[in-house]
């Protein structure tokens, strides 16, 4: 069915391109984000696989319509021929295909992937949707939104009989490149008039993958959502500025709603970036329409847009928060942040001066790239100065009128200060106990990661202004429709030069090819982390198919097993595992009963510890046995354990 799914995806993009008079590279991210929204709805009913039927239906409807209607057949024929004649189409689709194949054998090794991103998507894959109440596989990150996870699932579904984690990486990189595709749409005008610029297309294909590495390098190690969130945020900002030159208001409206909703479904912090994006939309409305630059019809359309985008975003965020509340999915950091906000009790740190010093050093002098690249290793301060230089060049070339220049400049200054300000605040509050951030290198990595929506959003907007906009000449020539091929090519050469000078080459090589050199050793190392729990994994295999999907895994309190627990979680997924530390000395049956209740688990499994278990479990079962699975039930306020047949 994967062929049908991809065909339906492309047909939807072609249809939108024909209706909106856009190129395929401009409609691909809209279809990708629309697909995520459809999967988001299906996941609530554990019917993600129904996307096969929906895709088959789309293909069937298009085929029947083309057979029965000459006008529809002509419409699709013209649009497909126009799309096929656009070399950017082949550049984007070819890049996605090559990167997907090269990354299809990768392993989940990055800590955050094991901790959540890979573990969660594995659960979604097996459940064909979201887990039941208390059933999520990574309880400490329960309310992390599933947007990027669902697109990764779509690629995993290409091999439905087995969880092939490499396809997760293929889906992740494909999503990023789809979101970047609109940056290269105007490049087709160069090919159409001057064929000797052909070499810009292979360079553009490389740039499509390497561009995020200018300001964000975690995407080369794992599949976290910061990068796609930043790209969708940048797409939304550009969409706001592109309103008058878009040419199709319906397409503009759909792109605005989907991009802001997708930002919300990427990560918890998406609500902050979505709020800033919506603020930019409001300011643009007030600045442009309230100051006499718009007709009454444009003003009415703008007000309708504000309400539509706000309603779509509110519905998206509200539905996810309501789901988390009903299924008791609350992340550890979310809970800590809410407690601090309500109580005002901010933890005091004895190393505040050292933390501030690490932040200043990491911001000003430590390179963004954790691995040295062959080109320029910019610090975050250096990168921000580069953004200032690019903005001044755009202002000098008059890519924006005065109102847009002032609005965009002030907005970026405000959001930049806010972004790095709340990053610093987070390290003094919710990250206060994480001592690794006293190192300037670790702090620089944190600044880079959590600042990527701002940095990549700015890059996205600047790039689009450079290649889509024309310096005002005669009349109102603010688009690139009549732009000279030479100047278009020069704009792309300038942008690609910055990318090729400042991106992360070692990480990119490792992501698509170098991982093969150590794959066996990496797999063996990962297995060594959960090997001691092999009996647990064997005993609980298939338990996730039961109604209750959370198990309390009791481990020796005298051994620090937190890191290994994370790897066990990944192997046990989709079974939700929570951990408890226990010992026979110093604990009572009441303590054990309280521990079980607080876990909200349906099953229990205990590793052997020193001493007899009867004092802890004697009142809940007749003869408790270590390394056995027990079902937890409650009768008349009393807990009981009944052994599950192996």
């Amino acid at each position: 069915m994967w062929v049908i799914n991809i065909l339906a995806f492309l047909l939807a993009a072609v249809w939108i391109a024909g209706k909106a008079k856009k190129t395929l590279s401009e409609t691909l991210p809209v279809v990708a984000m629309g697909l995520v929204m459809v999967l988001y709805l299906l996941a609530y009913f554990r019917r993600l696989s129904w996307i096969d039927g929906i895709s088959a239906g789309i293909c069937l409807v298009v085929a029947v319509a083309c057979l029965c209607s000459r006008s529809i057949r002509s419409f699709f024929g013209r649009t497909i021929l126009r799309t096929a004649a656009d070399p950017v189409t082949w550049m984007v689709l070819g890049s996605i295909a090559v990167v997907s194949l090269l990354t299809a054998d990768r392993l989940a090794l990055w800590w955050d992937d094991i901790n959540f991103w890979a573990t969660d998507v594995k659960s979604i894959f097996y459940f064909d949707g979201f887990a039941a109440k208390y059933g999520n596989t990574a309880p400490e990150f329960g309310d992390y939104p599933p947007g990027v996870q669902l697109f990764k699932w779509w690629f995993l579904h290409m091999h439905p009989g087995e969880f092939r984690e490499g396809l997760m990486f293929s889906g992740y990189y494909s999503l990023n490149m789809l979101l970047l595709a609109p940056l290269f749409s105007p490049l087709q005008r160069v090919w159409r008039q001057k064929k000797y610029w052909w070499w810009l297309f292979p360079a553009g294909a490389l740039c499509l993958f390497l561009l995020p590495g200018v300001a964000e390098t975690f995407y080369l190690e794992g599949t976290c959502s910061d990068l796609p969130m930043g790209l969708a945020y940048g797409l939304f900002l550009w969409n706001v500025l592109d309103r008058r030159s878009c040419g199709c208001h319906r397409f503009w409206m759909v792109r605005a709603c989907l991009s802001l909703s997708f930002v919300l479904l990427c990560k918890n912090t998406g609500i902050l970036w979505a709020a800033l994006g919506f603020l930019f939309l409001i300011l643009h409305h007030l600045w442009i329409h309230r100051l006499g630059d718009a007709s009454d019809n444009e003003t009415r359309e703008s007000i309708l847009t504000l309400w539509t985008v706000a309603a779509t975003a509110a519905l998206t965020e509200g539905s996810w928060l309501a789901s988390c509340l009903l299924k008791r999915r609350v992340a550890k950091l979310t809970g800590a942040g809410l407690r601090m906000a309500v109580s005002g009790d901010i933890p005091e740190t004895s190393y505040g001066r050292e933390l501030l010093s690490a932040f200043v050093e990491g911001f000003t002098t430590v390179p963004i790239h954790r691995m040295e690249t062959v080109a320029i290793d910019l610090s975050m301060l250096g990168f921000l100065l580069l953004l200032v230089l690019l903005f001044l060049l755009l202002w000098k070339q008059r890519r924006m009128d005065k109102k847009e220049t002032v609005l965009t400049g002030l907005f970026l200054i405000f959001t930049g200060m806010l972004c790095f300000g709340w990053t610093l605040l987070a390290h003094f509050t919710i990250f206060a106990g994480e001592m690794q951030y006293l190192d300037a290198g670790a702090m620089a990595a944190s600044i880079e990661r959590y600042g990527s929506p701002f940095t990549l959003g700015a890059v996205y907007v600047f790039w689009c202004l450079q290649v889509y906009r024309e310096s005002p000449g005669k009349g109102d020539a603010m688009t690139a429709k009549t732009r000279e091929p030479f100047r278009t090519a020069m704009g792309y050469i300038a942008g690609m030069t910055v990318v090729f000078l400042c991106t992360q080459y070692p990480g990119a090589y490792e992501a698509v090819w170098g991982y093969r050199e150590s794959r066996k050793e990496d797999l063996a190392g990962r297995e060594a982390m959960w090997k001691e729990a092999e009996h647990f994994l064997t005993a609980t295999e298939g338990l996730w198919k039961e109604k209750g999907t959370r198990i309390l895994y009791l481990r020796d309190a005298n051994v620090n097993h937190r890191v290994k627990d994370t790897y066990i979680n990944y192997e046990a997924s989709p079974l939700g595992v929570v951990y408890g530390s226990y010992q026979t000395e110093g604990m009572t049956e009441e303590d054990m009963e309280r521990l079980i209740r607080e876990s909200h688990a349906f099953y229990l499994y205990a590793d052997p510890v020193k001493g007899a278990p009867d004092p802890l479990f004697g009142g809940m079962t007749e003869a408790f046995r270590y390394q056995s699975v027990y079902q937890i039930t409650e009768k008349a306020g009393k807990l009981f354990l009944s052994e599950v047949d192996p």
Side-chain angles (χ1 to χ4, degrees):
M1 285 299 297
W2 65 271
V3 175
I4 299 298
N5 286 334
I6 293 176
L7 180 60
F9 185 93
L10 293 176
L11 284 174
V14 167
W15 180 77
I16 296 173
K19 288 294 184 180
K21 301 294 189 295
K22 296 292 179 181
T23 64
L24 193 74
S25 53
E26 291 177 283
T27 62
L28 283 173
V30 174
V31 177
M33 293 183 293
L35 172 64
V36 168
M37 299 306 294
V38 173
L39 294 176
Y40 175 64
L41 179 62
L42 294 176
Y44 279 111
F45 304 97
R46 291 195 181 181
R47 293 293 184 271
L48 282 174
S49 296
W50 281 13
I51 197 65
D52 294 341
I54 294 173
S55 298
I58 291 173
C59 294
L60 182 62
V61 167
V62 171
V64 172
C66 288
L67 288 173
C68 298
S69 172
R70 179 179 297 177
S71 62
I72 294 177
R73 185 165 61 248
S74 176
F75 165 79
F76 272 99
R78 288 194 311 270
T79 307
I80 290 173
L81 287 175
R82 175 170 63 86
T83 299
D86 181 1
V88 178
T89 298
W90 301 106
M91 184 193 81
V92 172
L93 296 181
S95 300
I96 290 173
V98 170
V99 171
S100 295
L101 290 173
L102 289 176
T103 57
D105 290 324
R106 279 191 62 175
L107 298 172
L109 299 172
W110 185 47
W111 172 255
D112 282 18
D113 274 345
I114 301 295
N115 213 9
F116 176 74
W117 302 111
T119 302
D120 183 62
V121 77
K122 186 179 178 182
S123 169
I124 292 173
F125 175 80
Y126 280 106
F127 283 130
D128 207 33
F130 301 140
K133 183 178 180 180
Y134 294 123
N136 50 302
T137 56
E140 290 190 353
F141 308 93
D143 58 9
Y144 275 29
V148 179
Q149 307 291 71
L150 291 172
F151 197 85
K152 289 187 286 187
W153 173 90
W154 193 60
F155 268 71
L156 288 166
H157 186 58
M158 293 180 185
H159 194 271
E162 179 187 1
F163 178 75
R164 288 188 56 185
E165 56 195 289
L167 292 175
M168 171 181 69
F169 290 91
S170 300
Y172 178 72
Y173 291 124
S174 297
L175 175 61
N176 293 332
M177 290 190 285
L178 287 170
L179 292 171
L180 285 168
L183 300 183
F184 296 89
S185 178
L187 192 56
Q188 53 94 14
R189 301 186 184 101
V190 176
W191 173 262
R192 192 168 55 197
Q193 299 185 40
K194 300 293 182 182
K195 299 293 192 295
Y196 53 76
W197 292 111
W198 63 267
W199 57 271
L200 285 174
F201 293 93
L206 286 173
C207 194
L208 195 62
F209 180 71
L210 294 174
L211 189 150
V214 172
E216 210 274 353
T217 58
F218 281 94
Y219 84 104
L220 299 171
E221 299 179 29
T223 62
C224 65
S225 295
D226 298 88
L227 172 58
M229 180 173 67
L231 296 178
Y233 173 69
L235 176 60
F236 180 83
L237 295 183
W238 163 243
N239 196 57
V240 174
L241 294 173
D242 188 45
R243 177 167 185 171
R244 287 187 168 180
S245 56
C246 180
C248 179
H249 181 71
R250 289 182 181 178
F251 176 78
W252 185 92
M253 177 84 79
V254 170
R255 188 166 63 176
C257 292
L258 287 177
S259 54
L260 201 65
S261 296
F262 183 76
V263 168
L264 289 166
L265 283 182
C266 281
K267 203 174 179 182
N268 281 5
T269 52
I271 191 171
L272 302 174
W273 294 106
L276 291 174
F278 190 68
L279 174 63
F280 187 64
L281 179 63
I282 293 175
L283 292 175
H284 191 270
H285 164 76
L286 295 175
W287 195 253
I288 302 300
H289 296 276
R290 288 297 185 184
L291 296 182
D293 262 5
S295 64
D296 291 340
N297 186 50
E298 284 182 316
T299 301
R300 283 193 297 270
E301 280 189 350
S302 180
I303 294 174
L304 177 62
T305 297
L306 290 175
W307 281 106
T308 304
V309 173
T312 305
L315 181 62
T316 302
E317 181 68 11
S319 63
W320 178 246
L321 292 179
S323 172
C324 291
L325 183 63
L326 292 172
K327 295 185 177 182
R328 301 297 189 267
R329 297 175 62 123
V330 180
K332 177 179 66 174
L333 293 180
T334 303
L338 289 175
R339 285 192 295 272
M340 291 178 196
V342 172
S343 66
D345 184 17
I346 298 177
E348 296 183 4
T349 59
S350 58
Y351 46 86
R353 185 182 298 274
E354 292 83 352
L355 197 61
L356 181 60
S357 176
F359 184 90
V360 173
E361 184 181 352
F363 186 84
T364 57
T365 62
V366 178
I368 293 173
H369 304 138
R370 282 162 295 151
M371 292 189 290
E372 288 188 11
T373 187
V374 296
I376 303 173
D377 279 321
L378 291 173
S379 66
M380 184 55 70
L381 178 61
F383 185 80
L384 294 181
L385 292 176
L386 176 62
L387 290 181
V388 172
L389 176 62
L390 293 175
F391 184 80
L392 292 176
L393 289 174
L394 291 170
W395 170 73
K396 184 69 175 177
Q397 295 173 353
R398 300 173 64 194
R399 304 293 178 191
M400 298 173 282
D401 59 29
K402 290 183 179 180
K403 289 182 179 179
E404 282 187 331
T405 301
V406 174
L407 173 63
T408 306
L410 291 177
F411 178 79
L412 290 177
I413 291 172
F414 169 72
T415 53
M417 294 174 62
L418 196 62
C419 168
F420 297 111
W422 77 44
T423 300
L424 176 60
L425 179 63
H427 286 91
F428 275 92
T429 53
I430 58 178
F431 296 147
E434 302 194 25
M435 305 297 292
Q436 71 268 24
Y437 292 120
L438 293 176
D439 176 69
M443 181 64 80
S446 179
I447 293 170
E448 167 234 311
R449 177 178 178 182
Y450 297 114
S452 60
F454 168 74
T455 54
L456 290 172
V459 169
Y460 203 109
V461 171
F462 291 173
W463 189 293
C464 288
L465 287 171
Q466 175 67 28
V467 300
Y468 278 93
R469 291 280 184 90
E470 174 62 280
S471 300
K474 296 180 180 180
D476 252 343
M478 286 292 289
T479 67
K481 290 184 177 179
T482 60
R483 192 174 186 181
E484 296 179 7
F486 176 78
R487 297 188 64 191
T488 302
M490 288 299 102
Y492 275 102
I493 290 172
M496 292 179 189
T497 299
V498 172
V499 171
F500 292 141
L501 284 178
C502 302
T503 195
Q504 170 71 302
Y505 290 105
Y509 170 77
E510 185 68 24
V512 298
W513 191 262
Y515 71 89
R516 291 173 171 81
E517 299 170 4
S518 59
R519 190 178 188 278
K520 290 183 179 179
E521 293 80 0
D522 291 335
L523 183 59
R526 195 175 74 181
E527 289 178 353
M529 298 298 289
W530 57 260
K531 199 66 176 177
E532 65 185 42
E534 189 170 10
H535 187 277
F536 165 77
L537 295 171
T538 302
T540 57
E541 186 177 3
L543 196 64
W544 62 272
K545 297 177 183 178
E546 301 294 330
K547 182 179 179 181
T549 56
R550 175 178 287 189
I551 186 169
L552 172 61
Y553 186 6
L554 295 174
R555 309 198 70 188
D556 192 343
N558 297 308
V559 178
N560 186 351
H561 45 76
R562 178 182 175 274
V563 173
K564 291 185 177 181
D565 290 348
T566 302
Y567 285 84
I568 295 170
N569 258 2
Y570 178 61
E571 294 299 323
S573 181
L575 179 65
V577 185
V578 292
Y579 298 89
S581 297
Y582 83 115
Q583 55 188 6
T584 56
E585 296 179 2
M587 285 189 71
T588 64
E589 185 175 334
E590 289 73 20
D591 294 330
M592 179 56 67
E593 188 168 334
R594 183 169 57 254
L595 178 61
I596 295 174
R597 289 183 185 279
E598 291 175 353
S599 72
H600 301 289
F602 296 88
Y603 299 94
L604 180 144
Y605 178 98
D607 278 346
V609 295
K610 292 180 180 180
D614 292 339
L616 298 180
F617 302 99
M620 291 181 272
T621 186
E622 290 183 1
F624 186 85
R625 295 197 308 163
Y626 291 126
Q627 294 185 311
S628 293
V629 178
Y630 287 85
Q631 186 173 11
I632 303 169
T633 56
E634 184 175 1
K635 295 179 182 179
K638 177 67 177 176
L639 292 181
F640 293 93
L641 301 177
S642 54
E643 189 171 2
V644 177
D645 293 334

